[in-house]
Amino acid sequence: MHLPTATLFATTLSLLTTAVAQAVVPPAAVAGELTFRAGELLVRRWTDAGVAKAASSRDGGRSWQALKNPDDRLFFVLAQYDPLREGLELPGAMGAPAGTRLHLVQFQTQVLEAYQRELRARGVEILH
C-alpha cells in the first residue's frame, strides 16, 4: 500500500512536535521539592500551582525531560486509594496475609527503568 507523501510528512511533523514539547526546565529548587538519583538518572519532583510535576536528567541537570505529572493514588482492579488520605484494605485474594514477603512499591514519579534496575540490584524480584 502506498501512502501519499503529504500524509507521511504530516505524521512526521506531529511526532517531532511531541518530542520537542517534552523538554522542560524545572524551576529553581523550592521547599518541598524532591531531588534524587536512580543510578545515573537525576529526578526532580515539585509542585507548580498545586499540580505535581516531575522531570529527569541524564546529564547531571544540564537538560531535563518532562515526566508524566505524578499521581499518588494507587489503582487496582477492585479498588483505588490515596495513601496520603486513607488506609488500604483489599478484599479476598487481593489482600496480602500478615508475614508475606510481597510488598507494594510506590515511586515518586511514573515507573522508570532506572528504578527497576535499582530494585533488582538490591535483590528485589519484580512480579508486576
Side-chain angles (χ1 to χ4, degrees), residues 55-115:
S56 65
S57 175
R58 296 190 180 279
D59 60 9
R62 290 184 297 279
S63 65
W64 294 89
Q65 289 296 108
L67 298 174
K68 293 178 186 174
N69 289 353
D71 183 351
D72 294 326
R73 296 174 296 168
L74 297 174
F75 297 88
F76 300 93
V77 172
L78 299 175
Q80 75 174 23
Y81 91 109
D82 183 342
L84 299 175
R85 293 189 168 83
E86 57 192 295
L88 176 65
E89 292 292 328
L90 294 174
M94 293 283 296
T100 185
R101 293 181 52 214
L102 293 174
H103 297 277
L104 175 73
V105 176
Q106 184 179 16
F107 299 108
Q108 292 289 343
T109 69
Q110 70 198 57
V111 178
L112 301 173
E113 180 59 36
Y115 298 161

Side-chain angles (χ1 to χ4, degrees), residues 23-27 44 46 55 64:
V24 68
V25 178
R44 289 180 71 188
W46 69 97
W64 294 89

